[in-house]
């Protein structure tokens, strides 16, 4: 069962998760660069792009918008999440049950684990329940594996990210989403530690097209299966163009350079 549970959120074994839980996790500040993106419909529309294998949202957005997109978008329901207003040791409230995620049409569930936080034990126990409930329903399981808190000195060091990826494997995630550890070698080590769990890179804050695509290329070359990205897509002026380029890097295994060139040529050939 484990090897097939995540099929719904992959394409040719690769993954491109469009993440849109920022209104909860970071607040409206993340919509400022592109104010129209405060409207969830914009992002659900984007998620119909061929490159997107799943859209990750919280329960409220799924309830309100997913009924209009059921046939065009694969739903990855994020089960926990906390606002930036919370100032305590990293923790994440469980906002949705697996049963309810399944009821509203999720193909997979997502769960954040803050390894190293003083709340790690409770979070891992909550993950256990979520994981086993998801297995009963044959839903894929994606772990946002983000070591942070008192036990973590450097949350993107090679050792920390390899450990984060390994936590995904040990605890049963189909996909472990980790931050880029700064070099292809460190990413390759995370991939090695994750074994049969697919590693995807977290998009992070917005960077320029070339820098972003080159990092994605490096991660994919190092064995990552793709990307889970929010701001680096929806904060751009033309999010569809960057999805076109990501499709070329992740699914067609082209270089960042080539993907950029082809995407620019397409834009010139059919200007809006
Ligand atoms: P980004 O690509 O914008 O970083 O989005 C991915 C994501 O994991 C979101 O799902 C989540 O809201 C955010 O990053 C968490 O970011 P941070 O690690 O800064 O709290």
């Amino acid at each position: 069962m484990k090897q097939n549970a995540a099929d719904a959120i992959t394409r040719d074994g690769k993954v491109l998760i469009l993440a849109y839980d920022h209104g909860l996790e970071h607040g409206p500040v993340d919509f400022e660069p592109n104010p129209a993106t405060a409207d969830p419909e914009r992002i659900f529309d984007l998620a119909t792009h061929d490159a997107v294998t799943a859209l990750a949202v919280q329960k409220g957005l799924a309830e309100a918008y997913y009924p209009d997109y059921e046939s065009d978008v694969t739903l990855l329901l994020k089960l926990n999440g906390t606002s930036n207003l919370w100032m305590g040791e990293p923790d994440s409230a469980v906002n949705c049950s697996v049963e309810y995620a399944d009821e509203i049409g999720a193909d997979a569930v997502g769960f954040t684990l803050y390894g190293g936080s003083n709340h790690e034990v409770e979070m891992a126990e909550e993950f256990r329940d979520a994981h086993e409930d998801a297995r009963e329903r044959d839903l894929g399981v994606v772990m946002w594996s983000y070591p942070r808190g008192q036990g973590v000195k450097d949350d993107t060091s090679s050792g920390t990210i390899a450990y984060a990826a390994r936590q995904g494997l040990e605890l049963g995630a189909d996909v472990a989403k980790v931050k880029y550890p700064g070099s292809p070698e460190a990413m390759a080590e995370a991939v090695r530690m994750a074994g049969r769990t697919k590693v995807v890179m977290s998009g992070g804050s917005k960077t320029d097209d070339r820098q972003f695509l080159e990092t994605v290329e490096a991660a994919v070359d190092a064995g990552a299966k793709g990307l889970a990205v929010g701001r680096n897509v929806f904060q751009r002026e033309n999010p569809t163009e960057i999805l076109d380029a990501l499709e070329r890097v992740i699914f067609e295994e082209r270089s960042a350079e080539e993907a950029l060139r082809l995407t620019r040529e397409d834009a010139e050939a059919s200007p809006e």
Side-chain angles (χ1 to χ4, degrees):
M1 181 171 63
K2 181 172 167 33
Q3 285 186 9
N4 301 325
D7 280 359
I9 60 162
T10 65
R11 172 176 141 199
D12 302 331
K14 303 286 184 60
V15 181
L16 201 172
I17 295 165
L18 183 60
Y20 184 63
D21 54 351
H22 302 67
L24 175 66
E25 293 282 346
H26 296 166
V29 68
D30 275 8
F31 306 136
E32 281 171 11
N34 191 351
T37 58
D39 178 359
E41 269 192 60
R42 291 286 180 130
I43 311 299
F44 275 81
D45 284 342
L46 263 187
T48 64
H49 191 291
D50 273 354
V52 177
T53 62
L55 173 67
V57 289
Q58 288 278 340
K59 171 173 76 177
L61 297 197
E63 273 188 330
Y65 298 89
Y66 192 56
D68 294 343
Y69 292 86
E70 263 171 3
S71 46
D72 302 311
V73 171
T74 299
L75 181 62
L76 167 56
L77 207 295
K78 189 75 202 309
L79 299 178
N80 63 352
T82 293
S83 84
N84 242 353
L85 303 168
W86 165 255
M87 295 306 286
E89 180 73 358
D91 200 357
S92 194
V94 179
N95 305 311
C96 186
S97 66
V98 173
E99 185 184 6
Y100 193 61
D102 193 18
E103 214 173 290
I104 56 182
D107 298 284
V109 292
F111 199 98
T112 296
L113 179 74
Y114 294 130
S117 158
N118 285 351
H119 299 295
E120 178 182 337
V121 171
E122 294 82 10
M123 295 186 87
E125 288 174 356
E126 290 161 2
F127 179 78
R128 175 199 65 203
D129 289 341
H131 172 265
E132 292 177 8
D133 289 351
R135 288 290 175 250
E136 269 176 30
R137 292 162 190 277
D138 214 9
L139 301 178
V141 178
V142 180
M143 179 188 284
W144 273 234
S145 194
Y146 282 6
R148 63 174 62 156
Q150 290 202 11
V152 181
K153 287 199 188 71
D154 179 353
D155 65 359
T156 55
S157 75
S158 176
T160 301
I161 298 302
Y163 205 158
R166 187 73 187 194
Q167 278 184 299
L169 171 66
E170 300 276 348
L171 299 180
D174 300 300
V175 177
K177 169 180 186 311
V178 299
K179 298 202 184 247
Y180 187 66
S183 73
E185 296 73 23
M187 196 60 173
E189 181 60 5
V191 168
R192 193 170 75 85
M193 286 304 125
R196 290 186 176 168
T197 292
K198 293 177 193 296
V199 174
V200 297
M201 184 189 102
S202 183
S205 55
K206 186 174 157 246
T207 51
D208 73 47
D209 290 3
R210 178 172 297 274
Q211 193 187 342
F212 174 52
L213 291 171
E214 282 176 354
T215 308
V216 177
E217 181 191 355
V220 170
D221 284 352
K225 295 298 179 196
L227 187 66
V229 58
R231 290 164 289 175
N232 256 305
V233 169
F234 69 71
Q235 289 184 345
R236 284 187 147 70
E237 216 170 286
N238 194 332
T240 303
E241 260 180 39
I242 199 75
L243 286 175
D244 292 343
L246 285 171
E247 185 165 25
R248 291 177 161 128
V249 173
I250 295 171
F251 299 97
E252 298 170 18
E253 294 181 4
R254 295 180 193 267
S255 67
E257 179 84 37
E258 200 184 359
L260 268 176
R261 182 177 54 75
L262 292 171
T263 305
R264 282 194 186 128
E265 282 171 12
D266 283 351
E268 280 160 22
S270 47
E272 280 177 33

